[in-house]
Amino acid sequence: MKDNRYEQLIADLRSDYRPQREWGEGRGILMVIGHFLVGVAGGTWLMASIYGVIYGLMVAYVLAALGALVHLMFLGRPERAIKMMRHVRTSWISRGFVGLTLFLIGGGIYLAITLLGLTGIWRALAVAANVMAGIGTIAIIGYMGFCYTASKAIPFWHSPLHPAIYIAFAIRGGIAALLVIGAASGQLASDWLLQMWTGVTALVTLFFALEIQGALSSGNIAAKWSVRDLLAGRLAFSFYGGTLLLGLIVPVLLLTNSASNSPVVMAILGVASVSGDFFMKLSTVKAGVYVPLFSPARRSHAS
Amino acid sequence: MRLGMVIDLKRCMGCYGCQMSCKAENGTPPGVFFARVIKREEGTYPTMRRKLLPVLCNHCTDAPCVKACPTGASHYAENGIVDIDQDMCVGCHACMVACPYNNRYFNDERRNYFGDEGPTPYEMERSERHPVGVVMKCNFCRPRLAEGKDPACVANCPAKARIFGDLADPNSDVSVLIKDRGGYTLHPEAGTSPNVYYLPE
């Protein structure tokens, strides 16, 4: 009986550069979608809290709930998901799961009290719940990059800039979501929000350029291969088309357009920006390759 | 005690005996081999040669899979063996991504070797060991070790290319071989301290 997955595995093991296929391919795409949704949720909650946009908080909560659902769909045994909080000492996934749980509980209570307009003792509970959601927000914005960076087996991911990129993407996603929400509710985005989008986008671009430069200049052969895949290999289409064109060039062109303050343009800008973020995450996750098994430099004596 | 294995690449002839004995012992689904022999041709005619690399879980002392596992399903069992508690595993694949050696498998559906004819009685009996939706891997044949036997791949290697023993004991066969023959591990730069060593050809 022939099984393509394992034929693929054998072919990967024989080749020099084994791409990771667990996250980003087949059912693994759910992991990327989950991370994307949760990241945008965290950024949106943060930005909506700063701006005091209740719709933003609601959208953030829905996105986080969807993200949690997608994560559960990815798991082989979703009914055991509660056990994922057991290893917070070493596992970033575990820390993220705790953060997401805090966010969903705290955010849910805060939104319920706020939307129902409860007063008195309920307000004190709302403040406590908001603090809980805030801690959860920090955790869900921060943990994702570390999930990848912790994997020494994949040199391209194992970069100190990777968590910073994910944090910046979450904030950029949050700003983009506020732009869309503002457009939907007929409100124009403030100049400060647009300036912030520009600043965070510049930061993301800088971080990514530095990561690429680091991989090319001081990374090992697998890291260099990942960059090659991304810029001129199997992922070039999704990188140039999705990340660069949709996520950077289109929003910048819209921003420099004279009609950039119209709600429709703001909405398109937000959607393009957040779509580009998804392709960025998908491309970098799929670009991960392992160091070759048949490596000439592999000698260490028993201790 | 720190159990480990030495694989003598000079003795290995690529017969797949380890691979098949492992499969017979563990009854793994189609395509899943806890012990595998990877073959590759290197060079160009007339100086090309076939290279063999038998691989299995490296039972690392500093196992990245154990650190990455959010539930604690991947854990250190007795004598440094890295094993998976299948009742704890949620199937998040984190351990598979973290493993630099690609020696973990995800059992996503019940499969058998004869397709529509259904599982054989042997497969039915063995498949109970491998629940669906969780990750599986080599555990140095812990049930055999408990009976005082060597792992199946070691016991069945016709060339005696696999030697199993205590790496913590400097006088054990494995430690002496590593010292005398310059044993090395795969990907030492990953800092995982593997307990599977290779003796050069």
Side-chain angles (χ1 to χ4, degrees):
Chain A
M1 184 185 154
K2 207 166 182 176
D3 190 315
N4 289 337
R5 286 165 303 178
Y6 293 106
E7 292 293 324
Q8 181 71 68
L9 175 66
I10 300 300
D12 286 349
L13 287 166
R14 282 188 184 139
S15 66
D16 279 334
Y17 303 100
R18 293 167 291 143
Q20 76 80 25
R21 299 186 189 275
E22 301 309 319
W23 293 344
E25 285 189 17
R27 193 187 170 95
I29 193 82
L30 292 173
M31 182 74 175
V32 182
I33 296 171
H35 270 178
F36 166 72
L37 289 171
V38 169
V40 176
T44 307
W45 186 276
L46 182 72
M47 298 311 298
S49 296
I50 292 169
Y51 274 87
V53 182
I54 188 71
Y55 290 129
L57 298 179
M58 288 161 66
V59 168
Y61 191 80
V62 171
L63 287 173
L66 278 175
L69 193 66
V70 172
H71 272 117
L72 287 179
M73 285 165 66
F74 167 69
L75 295 180
R77 289 292 183 108
E79 73 276 11
R80 295 175 182 170
I82 199 75
K83 291 178 178 171
M84 290 175 78
M85 290 196 235
R86 288 174 60 107
H87 236 220
V88 283
R89 204 167 47 83
T90 61
S91 166
W92 278 101
I93 290 182
S94 201
R95 290 166 192 160
F97 189 79
V98 171
L100 187 55
T101 307
L102 285 176
F103 178 82
L104 289 174
I105 294 171
I109 294 170
Y110 176 76
L111 280 176
I113 293 171
T114 307
L115 292 174
L116 291 172
L118 301 175
T119 54
I121 187 74
W122 293 104
R123 286 315 305 165
L125 180 62
V127 171
N130 200 18
V131 170
M132 193 179 181
I135 295 168
T137 303
I138 292 165
I140 61 177
I141 287 177
Y143 92 97
M144 283 174 286
F146 286 103
C147 283
Y148 299 103
T149 303
S151 181
K152 289 183 192 172
I154 299 170
F156 182 59
W157 295 352
H158 190 58
S159 152
L161 280 167
H162 221 65
I165 290 173
Y166 267 77
I167 291 167
F169 267 120
I171 295 169
R172 196 174 103 114
I175 299 169
L178 281 201
L179 290 174
V180 176
I181 292 162
S185 58
Q187 294 172 338
L188 289 178
S190 70
D191 286 344
W192 193 74
L193 195 63
L194 291 174
Q195 283 165 9
M196 201 159 168
W197 182 89
T198 310
V200 174
T201 300
L203 202 63
V204 163
T205 311
L206 175 70
F207 283 163
F208 187 69
L210 286 173
E211 188 170 71
I212 295 285
Q213 196 272 339
L216 289 175
S217 62
S218 54
N220 63 21
I221 44 171
K224 288 187 173 87
W225 192 264
S226 291
V227 174
R228 182 202 158 279
D229 269 351
L230 205 56
L231 302 183
R234 63 192 166 96
L235 299 164
F237 181 74
S238 107
F239 178 72
Y240 290 117
T243 309
L244 218 58
L245 182 66
L246 204 56
L248 190 66
I249 296 171
V250 169
V252 168
L253 285 176
L254 289 173
L255 207 58
T256 50
N257 191 293
S258 56
S260 67
N261 57 353
S262 84
V264 177
V265 172
M266 284 300 98
I268 297 171
L269 193 155
V271 170
S273 169
V274 90
S275 306
D277 293 358
F278 173 75
F279 281 107
M280 176 68 180
K281 287 179 179 175
L282 183 65
S283 305
T284 51
V285 168
K286 290 180 92 165
V289 296
Y290 294 95
V291 181
L293 270 181
F294 280 94
S295 169
R298 54 179 194 207
R299 280 180 180 264
S300 83
H301 288 274
S303 52
Chain B
M1 185 181 266
R2 180 161 62 94
L3 290 175
M5 192 180 290
V6 169
I7 299 175
D8 190 344
L9 296 177
K10 207 170 190 174
R11 284 174 171 263
C12 178
M13 52 190 181
C15 69
Y16 295 109
C18 49
Q19 196 163 306
M20 297 318 296
S21 59
C22 171
K23 184 159 276 290
E25 173 65 28
N26 293 293
T28 51
V32 177
F33 298 94
F34 294 164
R36 287 192 310 267
V37 181
I38 303 170
K39 294 183 179 179
R40 201 170 82 153
E41 286 168 0
E42 286 192 351
T44 50
Y45 181 82
T47 55
M48 66 188 299
R49 59 188 304 213
R50 173 162 281 190
K51 294 202 82 172
L52 307 172
L53 188 66
V55 294
L56 69 162
C57 170
N58 282 246
H59 296 274
C60 308
T61 301
D62 194 7
C65 54
V66 173
K67 282 184 185 165
C69 177
T71 65
S74 284
H75 65 283
Y76 297 107
E78 70 283 352
N79 303 323
I81 295 172
V82 176
D83 204 356
I84 298 171
D85 181 344
Q86 293 175 325
D87 292 330
M88 293 291 292
C89 181
V90 290
C92 70
H93 301 230
C95 56
M96 299 176 75
V97 172
C99 175
Y101 311 103
N102 271 174
N103 280 315
R104 288 174 166 248
Y105 297 87
F106 182 69
N107 193 16
D108 56 353
E109 60 180 341
R110 187 78 67 201
R111 283 172 290 135
N112 56 73
Y113 271 95
F114 300 99
D116 296 338
E117 292 178 32
T120 62
Y122 173 79
E123 283 180 311
M124 277 195 279
E125 194 272 329
R126 284 293 201 264
S127 65
E128 286 171 15
R129 296 182 186 182
H130 308 296
V132 170
V134 301
V135 175
M136 52 186 176
K137 65 177 268 301
C138 157
N139 63 2
F140 273 161
C141 291
R142 277 175 75 195
R144 285 178 62 93
L145 294 181
E147 293 171 10
K149 297 175 184 170
D150 276 342
C153 58
V154 175
N156 290 286
C157 177
K160 296 198 185 304
R162 288 175 180 242
I163 304 100
F164 187 70
D166 181 10
L167 290 168
D169 176 4
N171 298 315
S172 66
D173 289 349
V174 282
S175 296
V176 171
L177 276 169
I178 291 165
K179 194 178 169 192
D180 290 352
R181 301 264 311 271
Y184 61 87
T185 59
L186 295 179
H187 294 316
E189 76 283 357
T192 59
S193 304
N195 287 313
V196 172
Y197 283 77
Y198 292 84
L199 302 180
E201 289 177 70

